Amino acid sequence: MRYCINCCIHLLPNDLHRQCFRCRGPDHNNQKCPVCRGENKTPLYPDSKQMKWLAVLEVRTDHCESWNGLFCLRKGKLCSLMFGLIIMTLVMVSYMLTGAKHGLLLIPSPFHYGAFASNPSLMDNESLSDMKDHYQPSKMNISYVKDYPSIKLIIDTITSKIEFITRQRPDLEELRKQEPHMFSVIPNKFLPNSKNPCWYEEYRGNTTTDPYATNSYALYSKRFRIIFDYLRKVFWNHLYHHKDKHYRLRCLPHFYIIGQPKCGTTDLYDRLRLHPDVRFSAIKEPHWWTRKRFGIIRLRDGFHDRYPVEDYLDLFDLAAHQIQSVLQSDAVKERGKRNNIIIGEASASTMWDNNAWIFFYDNSTEGEPPFLIQDFIHAFQPNAKLIIMLRDPVERLYSDYLYFASANKSAEDFHEKVAESLQLFEGCVLDFSLRACVYNNTLNNAMPVRLQVGLYVVYLLDWLTVFNKDQILVLRLEDHASNMRYTMHMVFQFLDLGPLSEKQEALITKSPASNTRRPEDRSLGPMLPTTKAILRDFYRPFNTKLAQVLFDDAFLWKRT
């Protein structure tokens, strides 16, 4: 049986069907035609018999002879287009449902994992100038608020698993077995007439030898090559000659700015290096202790050749040349004075990043690293001084997200990444200790945002197992922003630096803030109020313990 696509009436064999407008032509009158008025029209009803639903869409060549050719072609295209749109709609709906579930959408999904609530706050990044700016409250997303209780249950589970257990410190012999080359290069005693840890090392090359030919920092970065080109030119002039032998002065840092990222370490570094008695490594963040000595250049690129300790020491040659000039001066030689120049290093990963341990160290106890960065630093420099700059961990996380996220950044996207990270962290603490999860490389790489970096007290307690409390200065970015002169004086006193003239002090304390938020990120505004609330719940027990350890309630980061 065939049907007229215009009138839906039965057609007999060879019936040309001259009744309807489209079959007859433009002279057809709709008011006079009984078919168009609804008379004698045979509607289609589905029944139990097998029926071709697409029969009405069928366009046969023998019918085209009875139609106007132009109308036949247009009707066929229209039906095909409508059918294609239906299929496309079904595909898009399927994509949105599955993509939102697995976090694969390229735009923020309307299907949310969790819920968070809070008030907007100050400080959305590392910018010191932004510390005094208040954001306007953002509108609350009801869908997030409805999910708040389920996410709060995840936080409660994590909180119930928190235990601050003292770490077992490895002995020196165990460390020697792990890094024999490092112990063969760095001596256990330094020059007595230098405040900075330095020593003389015999140099067996000649005037044509390139001392930096194999330095990995120079090989992998054009920026470092410029520095080493200069060092090559002046290298021979700074050797110490004694009894037909040549010696070069080697130095380690006197102090380390060890953390945390997005907490103002760059600003502190920029101000400290203006002090006449302070020098830094050739680059601000060598990341040698945490990454380069394991062969990690970029975490996403996997492992390369390990950077030997000599490559790290080369970064301090510029400062060593200046220290040597002081050591060779008459004031030091004849009057018994000593060098007061000190060297600093400011890798913000030093405090927390121990992700590489699992690939190099065996004998771990239930997933916890047997050796940490501080074990080795203390083995060589038991008198080293450490500076830590912290900020509200909730704001630090959002600043970290804005800085490292590459695309599709938004408050909603940040919220979903926080929710996913919390679920992953909960899954870890259900099976492992808190320390094992904090230093878990697989977990840290899987979490979309770096929740673990804000667990300050976990890292601080591990550093306190090897260093005395008076060797560690802990500052807050909030205090640094509100009273920079006071915090800088604390740092000067901690490092036992000499007095400054009024002009020098004004230069250090009044220079503009470093590393402010990028203009393109400012338009994103603050995180969602709900996101902030759940992050406050998550970090609260850790902040409470931190305030207890430091005897300072300011580290609770309570809002008044």
Side-chain angles (χ1 to χ4, degrees):
M1 183 67 68
R2 293 176 297 157
Y3 300 85
C4 175
I5 198 169
N6 301 301
C7 300
C8 295
I9 64 174
H10 293 289
L11 295 181
L12 297 176
N14 301 321
D15 188 353
L16 297 180
H17 183 52
R18 300 291 184 181
Q19 300 183 59
C20 75
F21 167 78
R22 297 195 182 278
C23 296
R24 294 185 60 187
D27 296 331
H28 177 71
N29 191 319
N30 293 342
Q31 300 297 327
K32 296 180 179 181
C33 178
V35 176
C36 296
R37 291 201 309 255
E39 301 176 13
N40 299 326
K41 182 180 290 187
T42 304
L44 294 177
Y45 295 101
D47 53 23
S48 59
K49 297 180 181 180
Q50 183 178 6
M51 179 177 181
K52 295 183 180 179
W53 282 94
L54 298 181
V56 295
L57 302 180
E58 183 180 6
V59 180
R60 308 177 69 95
T61 56
D62 57 342
H63 289 176
C64 291
E65 296 175 358
S66 62
W67 294 353
N68 181 289
L70 179 62
F71 287 116
C72 174
L73 181 60
R74 288 182 177 177
K75 178 61 70 174
K77 287 186 176 181
L78 178 62
C79 294
S80 300
L81 177 62
M82 293 299 295
F83 185 73
L85 289 175
I86 293 172
I87 298 299
M88 184 182 300
T89 302
L90 293 175
V91 172
M92 289 299 297
V93 170
S94 174
Y95 163 74
M96 291 177 64
L97 291 175
T98 57
K101 180 177 180 181
H102 298 289
L104 300 175
L105 293 182
L106 298 179
I107 59 174
S109 166
F111 305 97
H112 307 299
Y113 291 99
F116 309 142
S118 177
N119 297 322
S121 73
L122 312 173
M123 293 181 50
D124 46 32
N125 57 26
E126 192 175 36
S127 166
L128 300 182
S129 59
D130 290 344
M131 301 283 278
K132 300 178 182 178
D133 297 334
H134 288 261
Y135 284 110
Q136 295 298 322
S138 60
K139 295 181 179 180
M140 186 167 295
N141 189 314
I142 300 300
S143 62
Y144 289 110
V145 177
K146 288 182 179 179
D147 291 339
Y148 180 89
S150 61
I151 302 299
K152 186 63 168 64
L153 289 176
I154 295 176
I155 302 298
D156 293 340
T157 300
I158 295 173
T159 302
S160 67
K161 295 294 183 179
I162 294 176
E163 288 186 276
F164 300 103
I165 301 175
T166 303
R167 171 177 171 266
Q168 185 66 36
R169 176 179 168 180
D171 59 42
L172 187 59
E173 288 305 314
E174 291 179 296
L175 298 175
R176 289 182 182 275
K177 291 178 182 179
Q178 297 299 325
E179 300 287 352
H181 177 70
M182 197 189 309
F183 279 90
S184 69
V185 173
I186 302 176
N188 54 14
K189 290 184 179 180
F190 304 117
L191 296 176
N193 57 346
S194 176
K195 182 178 178 181
N196 196 85
C198 298
W199 68 98
Y200 280 106
E201 173 186 282
E202 184 178 355
Y203 179 70
R204 294 183 172 84
N206 54 44
T207 54
T208 61
T209 304
D210 181 1
Y212 305 107
T214 60
N215 187 287
S216 301
Y217 285 99
L219 293 175
Y220 287 108
S221 173
K222 293 181 179 179
R223 181 163 54 97
F224 300 152
R225 291 172 196 167
I226 298 174
I227 298 173
F228 287 112
D229 284 342
Y230 170 77
L231 288 173
R232 289 186 185 94
K233 295 177 182 178
V234 301
F235 178 80
W236 195 259
N237 296 332
H238 290 279
L239 290 180
Y240 174 61
H241 308 281
H242 180 68
K243 295 182 179 180
D244 298 328
K245 291 185 178 180
H246 309 298
Y247 298 89
R248 65 189 296 187
L249 188 68
R250 288 293 207 178
C251 297
L252 281 170
H254 173 71
F255 70 95
Y256 296 83
I257 301 175
I258 63 174
Q260 290 286 65
K262 311 313 295 177
C263 289
T265 57
T266 298
D267 187 80
L268 180 61
Y269 161 82
D270 284 337
R271 296 181 191 281
L272 258 180
R273 65 178 182 168
L274 296 176
H275 195 287
D277 291 339
V278 176
R279 304 292 184 273
F280 274 93
S281 51
I283 54 175
K284 174 185 177 281
E285 297 186 271
H287 295 297
W288 184 79
W289 290 102
T290 55
R291 298 169 188 171
K292 300 299 190 294
R293 70 187 179 101
F294 297 110
I296 300 174
I297 299 176
R298 296 180 184 87
L299 293 175
R300 65 178 179 270
D301 295 337
F303 292 94
H304 296 259
D305 293 336
R306 300 180 68 175
Y307 288 32
V309 65
E310 291 89 346
D311 290 1
Y312 179 60
L313 296 176
D314 287 346
L315 299 178
F316 305 105
D317 276 4
L318 280 173
H321 293 167
Q322 298 180 48
I323 292 176
Q324 184 177 357
S325 297
V326 175
L327 294 176
Q328 298 300 314
S329 67
D330 294 336
V332 173
K333 289 182 178 180
E334 299 175 4
R335 303 173 192 174
K337 293 184 178 181
R338 69 171 188 162
N339 160 65
N340 287 318
I341 294 176
I342 59 174
I343 304 175
E345 200 252 70
S347 298
S349 64
T350 307
M351 181 178 179
W352 64 275
D353 190 353
N354 281 276
N355 287 333
W357 73 267
I358 196 170
F359 301 104
F360 294 92
Y361 300 141
D362 298 326
N363 303 321
S364 63
T365 304
E366 297 182 353
E368 296 186 11
F371 311 104
L372 296 177
I373 303 303
Q374 51 266 39
D375 298 329
F376 293 98
I377 294 179
H378 183 269
F380 301 114
Q381 300 175 257
N383 298 318
K385 294 196 172 185
L386 312 167
I387 301 176
I388 303 172
M389 182 80 87
L390 304 178
R391 73 186 288 187
D392 182 344
V394 176
E395 301 295 343
R396 193 220 69 81
L397 186 64
Y398 190 50
S399 178
D400 196 69
Y401 161 79
L402 293 177
Y403 186 81
F404 289 105
S406 58
N408 301 320
K409 290 184 285 190
S410 68
E412 292 77 15
D413 180 67
F414 175 66
H415 176 94
E416 294 187 2
K417 284 179 167 55
V418 166
E420 183 179 349
S421 299
L422 287 170
Q423 294 176 37
L424 291 170
F425 196 80
E426 178 200 27
C428 184
V429 297
L430 287 174
D431 297 323
F432 299 96
S433 69
L434 176 62
R435 181 179 291 108
C437 293
V438 167
Y439 294 123
N440 187 303
N441 176 72
T442 303
L443 172 65
N444 293 339
N445 289 335
M447 288 194 295
V449 290
R450 302 192 296 182
L451 284 174
Q452 80 282 5
V453 179
L455 306 180
Y456 307 139
V457 70
V458 178
Y459 305 111
L460 179 60
L461 289 173
D462 284 346
W463 281 84
L464 287 172
T465 60
V466 292
F467 286 96
N468 295 327
K469 198 170 183 178
D470 59 2
Q471 293 178 257
I472 304 177
L473 176 64
V474 184
L475 304 170
R476 295 193 331 142
L477 177 58
E478 293 86 348
D479 300 329
H480 183 59
S482 62
N483 194 341
M484 193 173 301
R485 182 177 180 182
Y486 175 73
T487 56
M488 293 308 298
H489 274 231
M490 289 181 62
V491 174
F492 297 155
Q493 184 178 1
F494 175 71
L495 297 177
D496 193 23
L497 294 173
L500 294 172
S501 66
E502 291 184 6
K503 185 176 180 180
Q504 289 173 323
E505 184 174 313
L507 177 64
I508 293 175
T509 58
K510 293 182 180 179
S511 56
S514 302
N515 207 5
T516 58
R517 184 192 270 200
R518 293 171 294 198
E520 61 268 27
D521 292 338
R522 288 181 178 275
S523 60
L524 297 177
M527 71 184 82
L528 296 176
T530 46
T531 313
K532 183 173 291 185
I534 202 65
L535 285 174
R536 293 225 178 278
D537 290 340
F538 172 68
Y539 285 118
R540 183 174 294 112
F542 301 98
N543 294 343
T544 300
K545 182 65 175 179
L546 179 64
Q548 293 172 356
V549 172
L550 298 175
F551 300 101
D552 189 348
D553 286 345
F555 289 94
L556 294 172
W557 282 285
K558 287 184 177 180
R559 299 298 181 185
T560 56

